[in-house]
Amino acid sequence: MYIYGASGHGKVILDILRLNEICVSGFIDDNSNINTFCDHPVQQNSSVDKLIIAIGDNRVRKFISTKYLDNNFIKLFHPRSIIANDSTINIGSVTMAGAVVNSAVTIGKHVIINSNATVEHDCEIKDFAHISPGSTLCGNVSIGEGTHIGANAVVIPGIKIGKWCRVGAGAVVISDLPDYCTVVGNPARIIKMGNEA
């Protein structure tokens, strides 16, 4: 088992793997100046059987995922996260300590549900999204591909957020958001629009 990303997020993933009693052979990182990390060897551009991407940047995580086949990736759950039996979590995704994923949630590939985040019933989170620490998605929320929900943000029930959006820390989202927007505040307001991933 390998971890792609020899940085801070890699430390968290390493801890979750250890708690799940999964043996880690080493790290993979594109920085050729890093030879060891957390007492493990670091390789560059290696071919491995099983790995998980430990990089918080959604676009980078998506790019790295294209280097490997889907069956190379595992999904990973911190033993102190709570996941409903009828929720679906896809490959490459991870839940951190204290995360709660409630009933009938669908989570795509390579999604991060960070520490103490809450995902309520019937939510859908598309590939490469990141739900930051302490944030709350109320029931029946839809999060588009690559979207980042900032720390302690709240999305009220039934909201649809487009792809590759950024929701600022502490924002309260009370209306649907289009693709490629950045929002901040309570209530959340758009401060920037983009047009590409």
Side-chain angles (χ1 to χ4, degrees):
M1 176 70 208
Y2 283 81
I3 300 169
Y4 202 120
S7 63
H9 194 61
K11 294 176 184 177
V12 178
I13 295 299
L14 177 61
D15 181 60
I16 297 172
L17 288 165
R18 286 175 173 162
L19 289 168
N20 281 286
E21 299 182 353
I22 299 172
C23 180
V24 176
S25 300
F27 286 82
I28 302 169
D29 199 282
D30 295 336
N31 184 345
S32 59
N33 295 322
I34 304 174
N35 298 313
T36 59
F37 187 75
C38 294
D39 298 322
H40 286 76
V42 177
Q43 307 175 48
Q44 285 77 41
N45 300 318
S46 295
S47 175
V48 297
D49 288 334
K50 293 296 175 191
L51 76 155
I52 191 157
I53 303 171
I55 296 174
D57 186 296
N58 298 347
R59 285 181 172 86
V60 173
R61 209 162 55 256
K62 181 176 183 179
F63 172 74
I64 291 168
S65 75
T66 64
K67 296 181 180 184
Y68 298 90
L69 300 173
D70 278 356
N71 63 5
N72 290 126
F73 295 104
I74 68 163
K75 47 189 165 184
L76 185 61
F77 312 119
H78 194 289
R80 288 187 294 280
S81 61
I82 299 169
I83 301 166
N85 289 333
D86 63 344
S87 286
T88 303
I89 300 178
N90 218 312
I91 56 101
S93 292
V94 60
T95 61
M96 306 298 190
V100 176
V101 177
N102 274 321
S103 184
V105 168
T106 302
I107 296 175
K109 298 177 183 179
H110 304 285
V111 172
I112 298 170
I113 308 296
N114 222 312
S115 305
N116 297 312
T118 300
V119 181
E120 280 297 340
H121 64 87
D122 299 296
C123 287
E124 180 182 20
I125 304 172
K126 298 287 179 76
D127 300 347
F128 311 108
H130 185 162
I131 313 302
S132 291
S135 55
T136 300
L137 306 182
C138 295
N140 199 31
V141 167
S142 175
I143 303 293
E145 177 183 308
T147 286
H148 182 219
I149 306 296
N152 293 309
V154 175
V155 183
I156 68 166
I159 295 297
K160 293 178 175 31
I161 297 178
K163 61 186 177 182
W164 299 102
C165 294
R166 291 182 178 270
V167 174
V172 178
V173 182
I174 63 170
S175 59
D176 292 352
L177 299 177
D179 297 343
Y180 311 117
C181 70
T182 299
V183 301
V184 297
N186 178 8
R189 66 191 186 286
I190 295 174
I191 60 166
K192 183 179 178 184
M193 288 295 302
N195 56 11
E196 60 183 41

